[in-house]
């Protein structure tokens, strides 16, 4: 029998300058288990242009999961280039670069216990 709830991780990197995604997405490390026949819930920090999630959802679909749902803490609709359905959304935000609560800028500010706007 398949195991119940499993938490797994994958890494995605999208090339571009520091605060903009180029849409050229690479998997830097992959899931440890197949998702075939499984209900998959993707948990993401922020959907900005949508290019990263569009890539991931297409990639996951080739692995024949039973279903895929997307959950994101934040969404910046102003910058949408690829529409991705966010099934569970925390907050819609303006077109600002945010840090904290897990979100980094060059590996910094990830540990802040709140979300703040990076000002230059
Ligand atoms: P997208 O491909 O949707 O443009 O970008 C998705 C990824 O870009 C996110 O998973 C996140 O890593 C990064 N990103 C986009 N906007 C922000 C932001 O405001 N702050 C931070 N720290 N990362 C962001």
């Amino acid at each position: 029998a398949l195991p119940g709830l499993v938490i797994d991780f994958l890494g995605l990197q999208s090339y571009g300058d520091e605060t903009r995604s180029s849409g050229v997405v690479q998997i830097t490390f992959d899931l440890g288990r197949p998702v075939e026949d499984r209900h998959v819930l993707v948990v993401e920090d922020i959907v900005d242009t949508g290019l990263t999630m569009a890539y991931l959802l297409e990639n996951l679909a080739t692995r024949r999961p039973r279903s895929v749902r997307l959950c994101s803490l934040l969404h910046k609709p102003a910058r949408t280039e690829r529409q991705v359905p966010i099934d569970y959304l925390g907050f819609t935000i303006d077109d600002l670069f945010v840090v904290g609560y897990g979100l980094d800028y060059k590996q910094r500010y990830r540990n802040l216990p709140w979300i703040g706007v990076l000002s230059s």
Side-chain angles (χ1 to χ4, degrees), residues 14-23 46-52 75-84 92-98:
S14 125
Y15 290 94
D17 60 45
E18 276 124 33
T19 60
R20 271 190 86 90
S21 154
S22 67
I46 181 164
V47 177
D48 184 14
T49 62
L51 293 166
T52 304
H75 182 214
K76 276 190 232 175
R79 293 181 21 105
T80 302
E81 286 180 41
R82 289 284 306 271
Q83 202 85 46
V84 288
T92 297
I93 63 168
D94 291 340
D95 184 7
L96 297 164
F97 194 82
V98 291

